[in-house]
């Protein structure tokens, strides 16, 4: 079994892309606001971009945490199911250690799913969006 299924990676990649878009919107808002302030014009457009980017960033952060936790629960369920099948098939006398891994060891995956997986997918998508904004 793979630790992360394809669907989880795709969804987390999309959330990472939304995170990148929000960062670009916030940077654009700051830049336009500064230029408008220096020129003596209204900073309304910059403020709206900054606020919209901030709201989008907050929603992406919430979605990332929520979906990562859900994906972690699904992965742990599958791993526990496979562990039980192995214990029932194998009569090697290692049931105690396998039970400890199934009960405590798999719970350590929660932090990985909540922190590492979102960071990993954002690291893959955010630079692409920033470079695309710079070029276009």
């Amino acid at each position: 079994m793979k630790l992360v299924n394809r669907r989880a990676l795709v969804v987390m990649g999309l959330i990472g892309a939304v995170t990148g878009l929000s960062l670009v919107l916030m940077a654009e808002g700051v830049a336009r606001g500064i230029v408008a302030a220096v020129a003596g014009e209204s900073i309304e457009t910059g403020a709206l971009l900054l606020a919209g980017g901030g709201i989008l960033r907050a929603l992406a952060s919430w979605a990332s945490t929520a979906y990562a936790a859900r994906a972690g629960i699904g992965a742990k369920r599958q791993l526990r199911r496979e562990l039980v099948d192995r214990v029932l098939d194998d009569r090697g006398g290692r049931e105690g250690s396998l039970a400890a891994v199934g009960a405590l060891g798999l719970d350590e995956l929660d932090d990985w799913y909540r922190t590492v997986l979102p960071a990993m997918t954002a690291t893959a998508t955010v630079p692409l969006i920033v470079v695309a904004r710079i070029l276009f």
Side-chain angles (χ1 to χ4, degrees):
M1 145 127 206
K2 294 181 224 171
L3 195 55
V4 181
N5 65 23
R6 187 173 305 223
R7 181 173 185 245
L9 282 178
V10 169
V11 171
M12 293 303 294
L14 291 174
I15 293 172
V18 170
T19 300
L21 178 64
S22 69
L23 294 173
V24 167
L25 284 175
M26 289 190 295
E28 186 80 20
V30 169
R32 286 188 185 202
I34 290 172
V35 169
V38 169
E41 300 171 357
S42 172
I43 62 168
E44 183 177 321
T45 303
L48 287 174
L49 284 172
L50 183 60
I55 291 169
L56 191 61
R57 174 75 172 104
L59 289 173
S61 178
W62 169 81
S64 174
T65 303
Y67 189 79
R70 182 177 173 179
I73 290 169
K76 288 191 313 183
R77 183 181 307 133
Q78 180 64 30
L79 287 170
R80 282 192 175 113
R81 193 173 301 133
E82 290 178 9
L83 188 62
V84 167
D85 290 342
R86 181 173 174 120
V87 167
L88 293 176
D89 289 341
D90 186 28
R91 303 287 182 211
R94 299 176 301 173
E95 291 82 8
S97 61
L98 290 176
V101 168
L104 303 174
L106 289 179
D107 288 335
E108 298 298 321
L109 287 175
D110 288 337
D111 288 336
W112 188 86
Y113 271 92
R114 276 194 311 264
T115 57
V116 175
L117 184 61
M120 193 171 53
T121 55
T123 302
T125 56
V126 170
L128 297 174
I129 292 174
V130 171
V131 168
R133 172 58 187 104
I134 291 169
L135 293 177
F136 304 106

